[in-house]
Amino acid sequence: MENSHVRDAMHTPTETEGSAAAMGAKIQAQGTNVHYGDKHALKDVTLDIRAGEVTSFIGPSGCGKSTFLRCLNRMNDTIDGCRVSGTVMMDGEDIYDPKIDVVQLRARVGMVFQKPNPFPKSIYDNIAYGPRIHGLAANKDELDEMVVTSLEKAGLLAEVKDRMDSPGTGLSGGQQQRLCIARAIAINPEVILMDEPCSALDPIATAKIEELIDELRENYTIVIVTHSMQQAARVSQRTAFFHLGELIEVGDTEQIFTNPRHKLTQGYITGRFG
Amino acid sequence: MSELTVKSGQGGARTRELVAAGIGKRYRAERRFRIFGLVAIVSALVFMALLFASIIGKGYTAFVQTEIRLPISYDVAVIDPEGVRDAAEMRRANYGKLYRDGIQSLFPEVEGRTDRRLLNGLVSSGATFEIRDAVIDSPDLIGKKGEIWVPAADDVDMLVKGRIDRNEPENTRRVSDKEIAWVDALQKDGRLETRFNWRFFTQGDSREPELAGIWGAVAGSFLTMLVTLLLSFPLGVATAVYLEEFAPKNRWTDIIEVNINNLAAIPSIVFGLLGLAVFLQFFGLPRSAPLVGGLVLTLMTLPTIIIAARVSLKSVPPSIREAALGLGASKMQMVTNDVLPLAMPGILTGTIIGMGRALGETAPLLMIGMVAFIVDIPHGFTDPATALPVQIYIWADSAERAFVERTSAAIMVLLAFLIVMNAAAVILRSRFERRW
Amino acid sequence: MPFSFLLLVLAGLAVISYRFGTARARAVAPGRQSQLHSRPMYHGLYAAMWCGVPALLIATLWVAFQPLLVKGLVMGGLPDAYQALPEARLNLVWNDIRNLAIGDVVRAQPAPEIQAAADTFHRLYAIGNSALALLCLVLAIAGASFALRRVSLTLRARNQVEKVITVFLIASSMVAILTTVGIVLSLLFESLRFFTKVPPLEFLFGLHWSPQTALRADQVGSSGSFGAVPLFTGTLLISLIAMCVAVPVGLMSAIYMSEYAHRKFRAIAKPMLEILAGIPTVVYGFFAALTVAPFIRRFGEGMGLSVASESALAAGLVMGVMIIPFVSSISDDVINAVPQAMRDGAYALGATKSETIRNVIVPAALPGIVGGVLLAVSRAIGETMIVVMAAGLAANLTFNPLDAVTTVTVQIVTLLTGDQEFDSAKTLAAFALGLVLFCVTLALNVFALHVVRKYREQYE
């Protein structure tokens, strides 16, 4: 019974594929599999992520949504015993092609993590880190400007402009997370991946981040993993539902939440499991 | 929509360009850094290889010893002029004359006091004891003639082993041309051979390198280690058990804990000073005794054992304790019957490692006089003794060329002991390692 | 009766008491063992304890204090002419008597008083040993019979035994405290005596070190000079050289091992590096003196430099290698304590591995690394054998690594080995140096452990 559902589900996403490509897909995953040692963590996922939109991944914990997210900037490379197969195309290039340089890829695909992880450096140095290593700023003034712009975009500038030299770890949790977002956008990426960015934050900080995500959508393609369906409904235009390592259903957020095609999705949305 | 994409595309393009421009340089830095790391490890390992190679290269020849076969006439007039065959009397006889006569008889052409003395010098003075022991063992030799292998002097030994360069000019060489000619002649006659150096393993120290052995030092080390083990193991385990299982968590136990951690980092020589001031000066225990050495090393080893034992006790899961207590065992019964046996492999491993460290320790033993020149093999805990690492230090300080190879050989023996101990610890750990 | 034999006899008696104890406990309750308060084994242990412990305590105390007592009696029995001697000379006399009595060194013609004293010494020891043996046996048998008489259904033998064991456990944990107290007191006392002869300021800040004091007061150069600054600078110089080797190599090895090395490479190289830590220091000393020092000398001369045959460089270099595994294992711990999130953050920004390590991991781990390096420095300062064998005795006030320097530990060893009277400024100076060494290493350790602990807490 369960199996037949899954089989059905595998065809569901591909139905929307044609239209997605037409909409200008930034990233196209085709038959992506991930193995951690013996564990088959992600099974044959095919999914498009459209440019200039927020796509959210939802599903119960351990469903593979974070694993898939980490495929998109090859963060899985840093984990021992992790193998990725299938293709992930970004602007028509396979990012797992041996010719693709992972450093250059990550400069294009930024990432924000579940727990805020500012470096044990000053606020300024945290933001300046990316531009510095990539050599994006020609001089100090340009770097200063980049830092200020990024903080501005992340909505943090007003709160920290008087203490740019104090350590980033001294900020509150929500501020730290916005600092990490500012750090990610300082290198001006094309895509920003967010792995449950609000799970460690209080509701007010969460609201601020969500607002920020909405603003950032103008300039960046955003993928967000979230365990909160409300959040997915609030911030994203498209939603993908994962279950047990498989992509069950993907579609416009409104459609997924109001009229899910798949029973599993429906069960999850209505809170029957999770 | 399309406008937005263009916007982000533009910014992205610039980033992409700049990143691509710098990437080569960054990867070169990456490679350099990586090579630094590899070079660090490799240089440490190369140093170690050099150390071992140098010690083995210097020392392997010490396991053989050049010996000379001398014709000896066991003259009654020299050994036992009164004919009473009294062993004590016979021990005092002038055996030196016998071996000197022996070597002279091989080179009858050598004339003059200086040359004869030079000739006598080919044979180690230890020949005296060889001949004496042969006579005491079988008194019927007396009055007969025989052949006996005796050790050659250290310079001859070095020459035969190639440690003295024959091509060096004579005035800077330890051995004269004459002596070389004699040695060659002896070798041609089959009277000179290198044989397994059993003296090295059975004798005590000596001023003569060819007679010096490590047995005295090994016995001293053994006695010292025995004292250390007998004291440090029970004391260490008891302390660990108290701190881990019984002690209330208060200021006092905190002090003990901090104190133990600090003791573990105090330089070993300070323990030597403690031993000198307390055990020797205050309690008047004998100098150079394995007992005192063992006491000092006990104090030094205790922190290691305590720390290892505590870690091991800590790793026994609380469920075991709860089960024992739940069955009505007293706390002491729980510890002795259930917890300690489970923690024992870890405790033993820690103990072996601590003992290994104690075995190689030198500095504190110098302070309590175990550095003395001691010929006799120690038999008790208060006999004057030295220890293997101290013996190495003493020999390393000696001027004779031949002591270099003995020192290296003694180091090999010491390292062999340490390897065996550490291997035992590794095996113990892997055999009994338990994952909870 | 030799002491070890006495111990064996006591152990034998204890075993016999154990047997009797268990047997009696069984006999008291034939067939109704469950009515015994404690199992027979505990009755046996109870008897064995009463048999062994008091006798053992007495024996230990006796052996510890017998020499003091004998010394008092023998020295008290010497004629007045000897009593009037200064303390230092008196100690020499005592050494003579003891050597004579033990038969260690046979002097040609001992003075009759000395010979008599030696005989007394001998006699006292003989009496003492037999008295001890007798006392121990009596105590053991009395204790055992007392305990055996008390065996009954209601005897709370287990509680008694456990109480004794608890006392033993507590006493054992006191040993560590006593050791520290012993170290502090002995160093302090001897140092205070030294400072009555040499003012502390002169010792700590004097620039000239030559501890050769003459035996007689009228000899030339009778007052040595005890300015320890050259020793401190020498120690620092060698430690500095050692750190210059150990810190970069140790740190880079740790980084390579934990961040780059293939698992198989690590499995082989890591234990190999640890072998370096297990090699006795005397072996390093031998290698430094016989291989490294001549090599550096030849190399330096080849470059037209004048190198002392016992250069600070050789000793420092080898000491540095000895400390490599120490630095690398601490760095390894510290680096692994940096949360994975830090690495992820850097990687996600597109940092290369080395950029992540240099800009994020090492700065994050810096407090821990500094703590580890301080611990390593304290090791280097206290290291003895390498410098004794490879550094010289010349107390040069220099920072040239090619010169010979001497260190605190070298001087302690030279001052205290060989025969000399115990109370001269020369020997006491060793304790003053020991005190300095103890204080410095202790301070370094306490500080470093504090830093490392604070660092760990930060990431927990």
Side-chain angles (χ1 to χ4, degrees), chain B residues 26 30 37-38 47-48 54 58 238-239 242 252 259 265-266 273-274 281-283 330 332-333 396 408 411 418, chain C residues 42 64 67-68 158 162 170 172 176-177 180 182-183 256 260 280 286 291 321 350 352-355 416 422 438 445:
Chain B
R26 287 168 67 197
E30 170 76 24
L38 196 59
F47 184 94
M48 184 166 71
S54 129
K58 283 198 172 87
T239 307
Y242 176 70
W252 179 237
N259 185 43
I266 287 177
L273 290 173
L274 169 79
Q281 294 302 324
F282 185 73
F283 286 118
S330 71
M332 188 69 74
Q333 282 171 321
S408 306
I411 288 175
L418 289 176
Chain C
Y42 284 103
L68 280 179
R158 180 172 59 72
E162 290 185 353
I170 295 175
S172 303
I177 297 275
T180 310
I183 288 175
Y256 190 85
Y260 285 106
F286 178 70
T291 309
V321 173
T352 63
K353 224 165 189 176
S354 68
E355 284 161 354
L416 287 181
F422 192 65
F438 175 76
N445 284 324

Side-chain angles (χ1 to χ4, degrees), chain C residues 187-200 202-204 209 211 225-228 415 423-433:
Chain C
L187 290 180
L188 217 53
F189 265 125
E190 307 298 341
S191 301
L192 286 179
R193 285 167 70 192
F194 173 71
F195 289 136
T196 58
K197 298 178 193 222
V198 178
E202 189 190 318
F203 171 71
L204 287 177
W209 177 268
S225 64
F226 292 94
L415 292 175
D423 290 325
S424 74
K426 200 175 145 186
T427 45
L428 291 177
F431 284 89
L433 288 175

Side-chain angles (χ1 to χ4, degrees), chain C residues 67-295:
Chain C
L68 280 179
L69 209 68
V70 170
K71 183 177 177 182
L73 285 174
V74 169
M75 299 305 273
L78 282 175
D80 292 343
Y82 281 95
Q83 306 279 3
L85 285 174
E87 209 189 330
R89 292 292 306 279
L90 213 56
N91 274 332
L92 287 180
V93 171
W94 168 243
N95 275 342
D96 279 351
I97 296 173
R98 204 163 54 171
N99 288 341
L100 202 59
I102 297 170
D104 216 13
V105 187
V106 186
R107 278 274 193 90
Q109 274 299 320
E113 305 89 74
I114 303 286
Q115 184 63 55
D119 290 344
T120 322
F121 180 98
H122 219 101
R123 208 177 56 243
L124 284 175
Y125 256 94
I127 295 173
N129 285 341
S130 353
L132 171 64
L134 198 66
L135 186 65
C136 281
L137 291 183
V138 169
L139 266 176
I141 292 168
S145 46
F146 169 76
L148 287 176
R149 196 114 31 83
R150 292 197 54 194
V151 170
S152 68
L153 280 182
T154 53
L155 175 67
R156 297 160 71 85
R158 180 172 59 72
N159 305 48
Q160 304 269 358
V161 169
E162 290 185 353
K163 207 176 279 170
V164 173
I165 295 180
T166 312
V167 169
F168 170 68
L169 293 184
I170 295 175
S172 303
S173 68
M174 289 299 105
V175 172
I177 297 275
L178 283 180
T179 309
T180 310
V181 171
I183 288 175
V184 171
L185 285 187
S186 55
L187 290 180
L188 217 53
F189 265 125
E190 307 298 341
S191 301
L192 286 179
R193 285 167 70 192
F194 173 71
F195 289 136
T196 58
K197 298 178 193 222
V198 178
L201 287 181
E202 189 190 318
F203 171 71
L204 287 177
F205 300 108
L207 299 182
H208 187 62
W209 177 268
S210 81
Q212 265 51 52
T213 45
L215 271 181
R216 291 196 316 277
D218 52 337
Q219 254 174 311
V220 189
S222 60
S223 60
S225 64
F226 292 94
V229 170
L231 312 191
F232 300 152
T233 57
T235 309
L236 284 183
L237 177 61
I238 290 182
S239 305
L240 192 73
I241 297 169
M243 285 302 124
C244 288
V245 174
V247 172
V249 177
L251 189 59
M252 284 307 292
S253 321
I255 288 173
Y256 190 85
M257 291 279 189
S258 64
E259 305 285 331
Y260 285 106
H262 192 266
R263 204 176 308 140
K264 276 182 198 150
F265 179 83
R266 190 164 47 218
I268 295 170
K270 214 170 173 181
M272 295 260 281
L273 265 191
E274 273 158 21
I275 292 179
L276 278 176
I279 297 175
T281 53
V282 69
V283 177
Y284 281 109
F286 178 70
F287 184 64
L290 257 87
T291 309
V292 178
F295 172 77

Side-chain angles (χ1 to χ4, degrees), chain A residues 65-244:
Chain A
K65 55 189 193 295
S66 287
T67 304
F68 183 59
L69 188 77
R70 292 168 70 92
C71 285
L72 304 182
N73 68 343
R74 289 180 57 180
M75 277 304 278
N76 285 327
D77 288 15
T78 60
I79 298 170
D80 268 352
C82 175
R83 284 175 292 122
V84 179
S85 57
T87 56
V88 180
M89 311 289 275
M90 180 167 160
D91 291 339
E93 277 178 308
D94 184 2
I95 64 170
Y96 282 91
D97 189 307
K99 282 202 299 269
I100 292 291
D101 181 70
V102 67
V103 166
Q104 285 170 305
L105 170 71
R106 287 180 191 152
R108 294 167 63 193
V109 184
M111 187 165 183
V112 176
F113 295 86
Q114 191 168 357
K115 251 179 83 184
N117 57 351
F119 300 135
K121 299 169 181 286
S122 72
I123 293 172
Y124 183 93
D125 287 338
N126 260 287
I127 310 292
Y129 184 76
R132 272 190 186 136
I133 56 168
H134 291 300
L136 300 184
N139 50 46
K140 179 86 174 85
D141 290 342
E142 218 174 300
L143 188 62
D144 286 350
E145 200 197 310
M146 280 178 160
V147 171
V148 170
T149 327
S150 311
L151 282 170
E152 172 109 66
K153 279 190 198 162
L156 194 61
L157 187 62
E159 290 158 72
V160 300
K161 64 169 181 283
D162 301 328
R163 43 175 179 150
M164 297 284 260
D165 291 330
S166 54
T169 44
L171 298 171
S172 74
Q175 289 174 324
Q176 283 190 15
Q177 195 62 297
R178 277 182 284 149
L179 181 71
C180 291
I181 293 174
R183 186 175 70 184
I185 58 187
I187 49 178
N188 201 7
E190 298 154 39
V191 181
I192 301 177
L193 310 177
M194 298 186 173
D195 191 356
E196 305 197 21
C198 304
S199 66
L201 305 181
D202 59 78
I204 295 172
T206 302
K208 275 196 180 146
I209 302 265
E210 285 178 4
E211 211 173 296
L212 177 58
I213 292 172
D214 208 44
E215 284 164 22
L216 291 174
R217 181 159 62 90
E218 278 186 34
N219 295 314
Y220 308 95
T221 304
I222 294 176
V223 185
I224 176 170
V225 164
T226 175
H227 62 275
S228 145
M229 283 171 285
Q230 290 83 349
Q231 186 168 62
R234 281 193 299 266
V235 302
S236 68
Q237 284 72 53
R238 273 164 61 85
T239 298
F241 172 65
F242 289 78
H243 186 248
L244 293 175

